Amino acid sequence: MFSERVERLTSSLIRELLALTQQPEVISFAGGLPAAEAMPALNLAELPAAMRQYGPTEGEPELRERIAEHVSGLGVRCQPEQVLITSGSQQGLDLAAKLFIDKGTPVALEAPSYLAAIQGFRLFGARFLELPLTAQGIDPEELRRLIARDRPALLYLIPTFQNPSGVCYSEAVRAEVAQIVEESEVPLLEDDPYRELVYQPADRVPLCARLEHGHWMMMGTFSKTGIPGLRIGYVVASESLFPYLVRLKQCTDLHSNRIGQWWNARFLGSPEYPAHLERLRAFYRERRDAMAEGLERHFRDLAEWNVPGGGLFFWVRLKHNCDAHALLAKALERKVAFMPGEAFYANPTPWSGCMRLNFSHAGAERIERGLAILAEVIREQLAARSRVTSVEM
Ligand code: PMP
């Protein structure tokens, strides 16, 4: 009855958890939800009546110009004509998948990587080639070998405050990876939603800023700094790819909502914007620090982690072999949610030993309470397991 690709349609654990985690009594470390209290106000009083009409597929000219200015400021060669406004950066992932992926197409990506990108690429039939992450990013030598061996049709990377790991590639890794991309001409999709959520100095020059030719796309979004419900993001693309992305978007939704585009253009251009970013950073830095302190207090003997310099997540590596799904079930019974690490690996992995903990949604006091409960649940599972093992012996 359905298309052949529907066999590969998976549901996302995170979207399934979302309904649960939006209940006020649940302390959620599961989603990547920005804090509602840190969002700007939405004032549409001056919305021009013309914005009710259909608009251009590429997006509103004023917003495209502002984005081109911003992205050029990061060092990327970008004219306004290379900016495509999308319905969230999630749509950029979908358009890139449609452009590059058929059944069996090799796609290289980080391990772990962004869940909804994996889900989207899988739908079109991607064969995943994983590049393990270290604290400095992927291993450039491993990338070189992978390209020589498998020639991926697409390289998908999140170099700045990666989701889920929080990793921010070092300057040296950025330079090497960009050089490999340039030499090999493998199309690069750089996903960059967390750039502005930075809490301490970090290497952040986009990979795309180092590319002089080749095929590249850099995606951004206003979901983390503005209002995610408006669903406004963008793809900046090399001239070789841009016209295809526009036509693919025509097939998908004609254009993104003009009301959100109008509001975002005004927001970016307002003198309030830099002050808003500063406030947002201070707000999330406090929550990050609360989680770092809570982890120190409750998880020292249970896990290891790095404190992320930006973004929204801690990636916590458990020292003992736990059953993540049983842990999640127990934690949910006690009204705490987190994401088991397995969900973020493109190729099935039976046990990652990791949990992704979001720190943007809950306030400091709830973070402390949630971590205490989570640590207790883990200790209970470990204790139950050692009882079973000693009975068996
Ligand atoms: N890419 C990454 C790495 C993300 O973490 C997210 C949001 N969680 C997105 C893309 C999608 O964001 P949006 O569609 O809201 O712009």
Side-chain angles (χ1 to χ4, degrees), residues 12 19 21 75-76 87 209 238 313 332 346-347 374 387 391-392:
S12 146
T21 57
V76 179
S87 302
S238 60
F313 307 105
L332 284 173
N347 293 326
L374 201 51
R387 274 199 301 278
V391 170
E392 280 169 358

Side-chain angles (χ1 to χ4, degrees), residues 355-383:
M355 302 188 294
R356 190 191 72 173
L357 301 182
N358 163 269
F359 58 81
S360 58
H361 191 53
E365 184 258 332
R366 283 163 69 82
I367 288 178
E368 165 64 21
R369 195 145 38 93
L371 287 178
I373 293 172
L374 201 51
E376 241 173 65
V377 168
I378 295 171
R379 282 183 220 288
E380 279 165 18
Q381 194 188 83
L382 292 175

Side-chain angles (χ1 to χ4, degrees), residues 32 87-91 93 114 117 156 158 162-163 191-194 219-224 228 231-233 313 356:
S87 302
S89 44
Q90 190 63 35
Q91 185 176 50
L93 292 167
Y114 175 47
Y156 171 65
I158 315 162
Q162 205 250 12
N163 179 4
D191 191 0
D192 196 29
Y194 298 107
M219 302 198 305
T221 179
F222 300 105
S223 290
K224 311 298 170 186
R231 311 301 304 125
I232 301 294
F313 307 105
R356 190 191 72 173

Side-chain angles (χ1 to χ4, degrees), residues 5 31 41 66 125-126 134 153 187 190 205 213 223 232 236 304 315 334 368 393:
R5 81 173 70 84
R66 290 203 188 283
T134 70
E190 180 169 6
V205 179
H213 33 255
S223 290
I232 301 294
V236 176
E304 291 170 340
W315 184 244
R334 298 181 58 183
E368 165 64 21
M393 280 162 61

Side-chain angles (χ1 to χ4, degrees), residues 209-246:
R210 287 197 156 88
L211 302 180
E212 297 203 3
H213 33 255
H215 313 290
W216 54 267
M217 293 159 281
M218 181 176 162
M219 302 198 305
T221 179
F222 300 105
S223 290
K224 311 298 170 186
T225 50
I227 299 180
L230 289 175
R231 311 301 304 125
I232 301 294
Y234 57 88
V235 186
V236 176
S238 60
E239 280 144 7
S240 57
L241 303 181
F242 190 83
Y244 295 97
L245 294 169
V246 173

Side-chain angles (χ1 to χ4, degrees), residues 252-273:
T252 306
D253 63 355
L254 304 182
H255 65 79
S256 294
N257 88 79
R258 298 185 76 191
I259 296 162
Q261 294 188 62
W262 173 83
W263 183 85
N264 268 297
R266 293 235 313 192
F267 177 54
L268 280 186
S270 81
E272 263 292 287
Y273 182 64

Side-chain angles (χ1 to χ4, degrees), residues 6-220:
V6 168
E7 281 173 27
R8 298 186 293 268
L9 191 56
T10 50
S11 83
S12 146
L13 179 59
I14 190 75
R15 305 279 336 156
E16 284 167 17
L17 279 177
L18 194 66
L20 250 176
T21 57
Q22 278 176 338
Q23 295 169 5
E25 68 276 20
V26 173
I27 300 175
S28 178
F29 303 133
L33 297 188
E37 58 271 44
M39 280 179 207
L42 181 63
N43 182 355
L44 298 177
E46 291 171 33
L47 181 79
M51 287 295 143
R52 296 172 308 175
Q53 191 50 275
Y54 282 112
T57 298
E58 291 84 346
E60 295 302 310
E62 191 190 337
L63 183 58
R64 295 175 75 201
E65 263 166 46
R66 290 203 188 283
I67 289 168
E69 215 174 285
H70 166 70
V71 173
S72 302
L74 303 174
V76 179
R77 273 154 251 265
C78 169
Q79 298 297 317
E81 296 73 40
Q82 286 167 268
V83 179
L84 175 65
I85 307 297
T86 54
S87 302
S89 44
Q90 190 63 35
Q91 185 176 50
L93 292 167
D94 181 63
L95 300 180
K98 286 173 176 160
L99 187 54
F100 287 103
I101 305 176
D102 289 314
K103 197 172 171 190
T105 300
V107 173
L109 78 183
E110 295 142 340
S113 182
Y114 175 47
L115 185 65
I118 296 171
Q119 194 189 12
F121 296 165
R122 179 175 292 133
L123 176 65
F124 289 94
R127 176 163 68 84
F128 292 112
L129 309 167
E130 295 187 308
L131 293 156
L133 272 174
T134 70
Q136 277 71 46
I138 55 169
D139 174 359
E141 280 318 308
E142 180 66 30
L143 175 64
R144 210 186 286 281
R145 278 195 294 275
L146 184 150
I147 290 176
R149 196 177 53 226
D150 295 290
R151 188 71 209 171
L154 182 66
L155 172 62
Y156 171 65
L157 300 176
I158 315 162
T160 304
F161 312 132
Q162 205 250 12
N163 179 4
S165 68
V167 165
C168 191
Y169 287 24
S170 70
E171 198 53 35
V173 169
R174 284 171 193 264
E176 272 195 76
V177 169
Q179 197 188 348
I180 295 166
V181 168
E182 186 98 313
E183 284 166 9
S184 65
E185 295 191 5
V186 168
L188 170 68
L189 176 55
E190 180 169 6
D191 191 0
D192 196 29
Y194 298 107
R195 162 168 306 278
E196 302 296 348
L197 303 186
V198 54
Y199 316 124
Q200 63 199 46
D203 299 329
R204 284 188 295 153
V205 179
L207 296 178
C208 289
R210 287 197 156 88
L211 302 180
E212 297 203 3
H213 33 255
H215 313 290
W216 54 267
M217 293 159 281
M218 181 176 162
M219 302 198 305

